[in-house]
Amino acid sequence: MSPLRAGFFTSSLGLCRGFFVSGGPMPNINAGQRTGINIPAGQVLTLIGSSSVTGMLRIFSPDRANRSQTNVMPGTSSYGPYPADVNGELQCWSGDVGYAVAASAVPSASSGLPPGGDADYAAAVVGAAGAVVPLRRSISGLPTAMAFGNSITAQNRIGANTVNGSVSFDAHLWWAQALSGHAFEWLQTGATVQVGASASSLLTQGIYGYSGATSVDIYSTAFAATLAAYRPNYALIQMMENDVTQIVAGAITRAQAQTAYLNTIAGCIAQGTRPIFIGCLPSKSYSTAAHSAEYWALTNYVESLQSQYPNLIYVPVSDLYTDSALTTPQPLSSGIYANYTDTSVHPKVAAPLIGARIADVLAACGIRGFGLIPGPGDARFIGGNAFTCGTGGTASAPVTGSVVNNLTIANNMTSATIAAAVVNANGRQAQRVTISAGTSTGFQNLYSQFTSAINAGASSFSVGDAVQLFVELEIDSTVNLTGLRDLTLELAHTGGAVTPYQMFKKANADTFDTITIPTGRKMLLATPLSAVTAGTTALRAFFYAYASQNAAAASGQFLNTKFSIVNWSKTN
């Protein structure tokens, strides 16, 4: 039997349009129609939607007790193969969509478009290389995400710019995750691997970055091996920054960069991954009128794709900290802005600002978390105080006041006045910590919250279990925040072979303060997932606020509403 070929036919009047595969026409449905589809085990369902199509595809489990659903999009999308026979329901709201079930995916429309066909189809479709892999869910049940891009993306890899097992303060995508309430979990792709020939092209636990590369290099080197191979629910894409300088230098053309953006976005949508495309950050390298022209041409092009691809989420960033006094898109870099970026484009103090913008755009698209942490009575809850209950904790001198059950609050700044209080915050009990005086003379712990060692009980752990620490926190906007170095979350594995996993750990050489951490809004900080190793006798949770190294006054007020270690390998 010859392989299936996909194509299109139109009437001479252009009033009737359909799809065909070798041996006969591909069935299709029009606006207002729906159909049931049977998909045998091991086979693949392929949809080819018109440029104006909208609709819904639902796939049911064999017992019909569960279902997944996804929007029907323009172009070619493939689903499966499935381990058992499943049934689907295809509904078309506008436009039209063809469908086929075969032992392998039907080639994309762009590969079989006959003369006189609808060119919109060809423009909308990019075939993703590699085998079709079902969309992945994380071990926590959250939607999965991968990051894909250049060195700005790479600094979000676990262990980048800091110690092994830790996430750098500069990791703006982790700030986005925290400020979105942990709306997604990074897809666990495993330890660091090199993708392609370059040693700077690396994938670590769902985060891929190719340092120094243009979007042309990034797409051609890694799309098939990362996003197309793993098919996460979301892809956070940051790939524009090197294009501006390399177009001006003549290394690539504007058209090549735009094609790489289109291919990445359309390739994600075709496989069911929703692209979250982050705009081009300002750079000190954009110093000429030619750089400015390319910056805005590329930015305007990506913005224009939103109308062609309604499922695209675009995050504008050009207004966050660009120096408006200049005629070129360079970052603010003097006074309090001196450490917003490094000597070029990479975020430092600016990281929380970018993360907040991403989280705000995601929230506007209905992507938001904060309902994640299981509490007492749930077998996945190991310990801490998931909902900051009671007043049986410890205030360690010189800290004074009340502390929720199971926690200790301490500090090592003897000059600071730190008061703890169990309070009502928006109808929920919270642990408040207020720093009203104190001067930092070095890298010191402003205050910390931590649990006693956890090693027993119904919600304990075993070797190999996947564990994670969560803290839900808000910095009170009514109290002046000064002298804050960073916030660090740590999950220690006592006796095991795991380096403590830390969140937002700043490199010791970075002495700048972090005035950009948002106040007046909740954030859900989480350590990277870690596995319990042989020899581990206890787990222990720590949350630190570190003071400035600049002999500055330290003040602020913090509200902690959740604090929990979770064992995702348990079932509730």
Side-chain angles (χ1 to χ4, degrees), residues 458-505:
S459 302
S460 59
F461 53 85
S462 303
V463 172
D465 284 354
V467 292
Q468 198 168 18
L469 169 62
F470 292 91
V471 167
E472 185 177 275
L473 175 78
E474 178 181 329
I475 301 175
D476 193 336
S477 60
T478 66
V479 177
N480 192 31
L481 178 64
T482 63
L484 180 64
R485 172 185 162 83
D486 67 6
L487 302 172
T488 298
L489 193 62
E490 177 178 304
L491 180 58
H493 296 238
T494 304
V498 175
T499 301
Y501 271 48
Q502 297 175 319
M503 176 71 160
F504 297 144
K505 177 69 174 178

Side-chain angles (χ1 to χ4, degrees), residues 177-216:
Q177 184 187 47
L179 290 161
S180 70
H182 216 82
F184 56 85
E185 185 71 78
W186 298 113
L187 197 152
Q188 299 300 294
T189 59
T192 299
V193 295
Q194 181 176 317
V195 180
S198 174
S200 64
S201 171
L202 301 172
L203 172 66
T204 304
Q205 297 289 45
I207 297 174
Y208 169 76
Y210 190 169
S211 297
T214 67
S215 60
V216 178

Side-chain angles (χ1 to χ4, degrees), residues 148-150 215 218-219 237-241 243 260-261 264 277:
F148 182 77
N150 51 31
S215 60
I218 294 165
Y219 176 79
I237 302 160
Q238 185 143 27
M239 61 194 311
M240 301 178 70
E241 285 75 13
D243 293 347
Y261 308 155
T264 302
F277 199 101

Side-chain angles (χ1 to χ4, degrees), residues 26 50 52 126 147 175 265 300 385 387 394 454 484 508 537 546:
M26 173 186 281
S50 68
S52 60
V126 177
W175 279 108
I265 291 166
N300 292 338
N385 195 331
F387 304 112
T394 301
I454 302 165
L484 180 64
N508 290 344
T537 57
Y546 285 114

